[in-house]
Amino acid sequence: MVSELLKDVKIPRMFQVRQKFSAEKLEPEEIVRIIRYQLGQEPFSSQIQPGMRIAVTAGSRQIANIVLITRTIVDVVKKKGAHPFVLAAMGSHGGATGEGQRQVLENFGITEESMGCPIKSDMEVVKTGVNEEGMDVLLDKNAVEADGIIISCRIKPHTCFQGPYESGIMKMMTIGLGKQAGAAVCHEAGFKYMAKYVPMFGRAILKQVKILFAVAVLENAYDETAKVVVLNHDEIEEKEPFYLEEAKAMLPRIHVSECDVLICDTIGKNFSGSGMDPNITGTFVTPFASGGLKSQRVAVLDLSKESHHSGVGIGMAHATTRRFFEKMDFELTYPNLITSTVIENARIPLVMKNDREAVQVCIKTCTDIDRNNIRIVRISNSLKVEHICLSEAYYEEAKSNPNLEIESDPAPMAFDENGNLIDLGNIQ
C-alpha cells in the first residue's frame, strides 16, 4: 500500500559539487612537535613529577588525529617518569557501561596496545563536593584518585545549546568526567540551563580535583586539526570562550541556505554527539540553539558502525530505512538520551523499506513547494561536507556561487534492485 502511494513520486536529477572552505591545517608531525614543545614549557612541565599517576581523558567523538594526540600526551607523561592511563570521559555514551565506553575508544583505535598504557572505563563516581548552588559534583573515581588529570578534548560549538562554553574543556570536565551519574545532575534542569551549569560545575571541579592543564584542538571545515592549544588549569575559565569563537568561525556550512529535502546518508555518534551536527544541518531538537541549513523534510538512510548501535539523532529525521531501524539498539541508545533529557533525539520517524522510498516520502509530504524544481541537498554525513550533491534546481545558482565548484553533470540517483543507493556514503 505504501509503495503504491509513492511509486509515481519523481526524484530529481542530482549533481555533485565541492564546497570551498579555509583549508588551514596541521600535519601530523607538527601536531606532535607542538604538543611536545608546549608540555615541555612552564607551567606545564613541572606539574608532571616522577611516580605520579596521571589520567588523560579521551571522549566519544571521532576527533581528527585523536590516536596520535592522545598517544603523544601519554608519551610525554611517561618520559617525565610518571604513570599515565587513558580515561574514558564520555558521560553516558557507550550505553553508559564501562565495556561500552571501552568499545567506543577501541573503534577510534585507542587501545591499551596503541596507547602503551592502561585504559580505565569504569562508571563508578565519587562526590567531590558541591557547586555554587549546592548541587553534587560527581566525578569518575579513577580520575579523583589520580595524582593529576590532563583534559584532552576538542573545542567546538554544541548541538543543543549556545553560550561562552559549549563542547570543550569545561564540558569535558563536567559531563565527560562526570560519567553517567555526574552528567545526569548537570542535565537535570534541561538544556535551557546548560550554558549556566557547564561552567558552574567546571569551576567547582577546578577547585575540588587536581586538573593539571588541558590540551585542546580546533578543527577546520574539513574535519582536520587546525590548531592545538594548551591551557593551564588557572587559564581555562578565562580563555576557553575565545577559542570557542575561533572554532565557530572555522565551522563548515552548506553553501545554500534552504532546501525542500535534506538527505543524510549516515548518522552516528562518531560524526556528532547528536548523531548529525545541527549546526550544519539545521536539525536542532531544542530551542536553545539555532542556525544551519533550513529544510522542510529530512531523510536519514543508515547508521554508522562506529556509533555502536546508538541511534541517537534519528529523532531529527522525518523518514529512515528498515536497514537503519534494524541496526539501532534501544538499550545502547536510550541511556544517553535519558541522561541528557533530550528524548526527542530518538523519536522514531517513518520507517521505509529502502532508500528510494525514504527519499520519496519526504518529497511527497513537502508542502508549498515547486514540484517541478524540487530542491534536494544530499550529504554523506554532517562531519564531512566538502563534497555534497544538489538537485538540478540548484544548477544555475551553483554555477555563479564562488564557494561551489561543480564536479558532475546532473544525473538520476542510482538505486540497486532493492531500491537502495549504490553510492551510499561515497559522495566524494
Side-chain angles (χ1 to χ4, degrees):
M1 179 64 177
V2 173
S3 298
E4 187 67 21
L5 288 173
L6 300 175
K7 69 176 185 178
D8 294 327
V9 175
K10 184 178 179 181
I11 299 174
R13 298 196 302 171
M14 307 287 290
F15 64 100
Q16 183 169 299
V17 297
R18 183 176 75 85
Q19 301 204 112
K20 300 176 184 179
F21 307 106
S22 172
E24 178 184 351
K25 71 172 183 177
L26 296 173
E27 297 298 335
E29 59 272 18
E30 294 179 281
I31 295 169
V32 172
R33 178 182 56 79
I34 290 169
I35 294 174
R36 287 177 177 172
Y37 174 78
Q38 292 278 13
L39 300 193
Q41 306 301 304
E42 292 300 338
F44 314 113
S45 180
S46 61
Q47 295 186 67
I48 305 172
Q49 296 294 321
M52 291 176 66
R53 292 182 65 253
I54 305 291
V56 180
T57 65
S60 60
R61 305 297 189 263
Q62 187 171 334
I63 298 171
N65 298 300
I66 186 60
V67 174
L68 177 66
I69 292 165
T70 310
R71 178 60 190 253
T72 302
I73 298 170
V74 166
D75 286 347
V76 170
V77 172
K78 290 167 74 173
K79 191 173 182 180
K80 294 282 292 183
H83 306 293
F85 64 91
V86 173
L87 183 73
M90 55 184 78
S92 60
H93 296 173
T97 69
E99 183 53 39
Q101 296 202 346
R102 182 178 290 265
Q103 182 63 52
V104 170
L105 295 183
E106 287 180 2
N107 287 341
F108 298 154
I110 297 176
T111 65
E112 293 189 346
E113 292 73 26
S114 66
M115 293 296 104
C117 72
I119 290 179
K120 304 288 186 182
S121 61
D122 317 53
M123 300 300 293
E124 186 176 356
V125 298
V126 295
K127 179 180 175 179
T128 61
V130 296
N131 68 13
E132 299 163 26
E133 293 188 353
M135 302 165 73
D136 289 347
V137 178
L138 305 176
L139 295 179
D140 182 286
K141 185 172 184 288
N142 291 305
V144 174
E145 292 178 349
D147 298 312
I149 304 166
I150 298 172
I151 303 297
S152 176
C153 65
R154 175 180 60 192
I155 296 175
K156 188 175 183 179
H158 198 272
T159 58
C160 292
F161 74 97
Q162 293 171 335
Y165 308 89
E166 297 182 24
S167 287
I169 304 167
M170 286 289 209
K171 181 172 176 285
M172 178 63 93
M173 293 191 298
T174 300
I175 305 299
L177 290 181
K179 309 297 276 197
Q180 191 280 329
V185 176
C186 185
H187 278 294
E188 187 174 1
F191 273 101
K192 180 179 179 180
Y193 297 98
M194 284 294 283
K196 170 186 176 182
Y197 284 130
V198 164
M200 183 183 292
F201 275 95
R203 286 191 294 269
I205 292 166
L206 286 167
K207 293 176 182 177
Q208 294 167 12
V209 298
K210 196 166 180 59
I211 303 292
L212 302 181
F213 49 82
V215 179
V217 298
L218 282 65
E219 292 179 346
N220 66 21
Y222 299 104
D223 184 38
E224 298 165 330
T225 307
K227 192 169 191 175
V228 178
V229 297
V230 183
L231 297 179
N232 199 35
H233 55 268
D234 58 0
E235 297 179 306
I236 293 170
E237 183 178 2
E238 176 188 356
K239 293 186 177 181
E240 184 178 352
F242 168 80
Y243 290 111
L244 174 60
E245 290 305 309
E246 192 172 344
K248 287 181 178 179
M250 291 190 281
L251 196 71
R253 61 181 295 266
I254 306 297
H255 285 312
V256 296
S257 60
E258 297 184 9
C259 67
D260 301 319
V261 177
L262 169 66
I263 302 169
C264 184
D265 287 2
T266 311
I267 69 170
K269 299 293 286 185
N270 53 313
F271 302 128
S272 169
S274 293
M276 61 178 168
D277 188 346
N279 290 294
I280 310 300
T281 62
T283 51
F284 293 94
V285 291
T286 77
F288 311 113
S290 61
L293 179 70
K294 183 179 179 181
S295 61
Q296 188 175 153
R297 291 284 184 263
V298 179
V300 167
L301 307 181
D302 206 355
L303 179 63
S304 71
K305 178 182 178 182
E306 294 83 358
S307 197
H308 196 54
H309 302 288
S310 171
V312 169
I314 196 59
M316 301 182 193
H318 298 92
T320 189
T321 61
R322 177 63 60 179
R323 175 180 65 252
F324 183 105
F325 189 73
E326 290 175 349
K327 290 181 180 180
M328 180 178 173
D329 186 316
F330 296 145
E331 290 295 317
L332 294 172
T333 301
Y334 290 169
N336 184 207
L337 299 167
I338 293 169
T339 301
S340 70
T341 73
V342 188
I343 59 175
E344 292 85 355
N345 213 13
R347 290 178 298 193
I348 304 301
L350 296 180
V351 179
M352 312 306 292
K353 72 178 182 180
N354 55 36
D355 297 346
R356 179 190 286 116
E357 290 194 0
V359 175
Q360 286 176 314
V361 77
C362 283
I363 294 172
K364 187 172 181 64
T365 57
C366 280
T367 59
D368 194 26
I369 63 172
D370 182 353
R371 295 196 174 275
N372 293 318
N373 292 283
I374 304 292
R375 299 173 303 165
I376 295 180
V377 173
R378 180 186 167 203
I379 62 176
S380 289
N381 57 70
S382 66
L383 195 61
K384 296 185 181 298
V385 293
E386 177 183 6
H387 302 277
I388 66 172
C389 289
L390 301 174
S391 63
E392 197 168 10
Y394 289 107
Y395 197 75
E396 291 303 315
E397 177 184 339
K399 286 197 297 186
S400 60
N401 189 327
N403 294 314
L404 297 176
E405 177 186 332
I406 296 175
E407 298 184 304
S408 71
D409 294 326
M413 294 179 73
F415 297 96
D416 63 19
E417 65 276 9
N418 296 314
N420 292 318
L421 282 165
I422 292 173
D423 62 344
L424 183 69
N426 289 312
I427 300 173
Q428 56 185 4

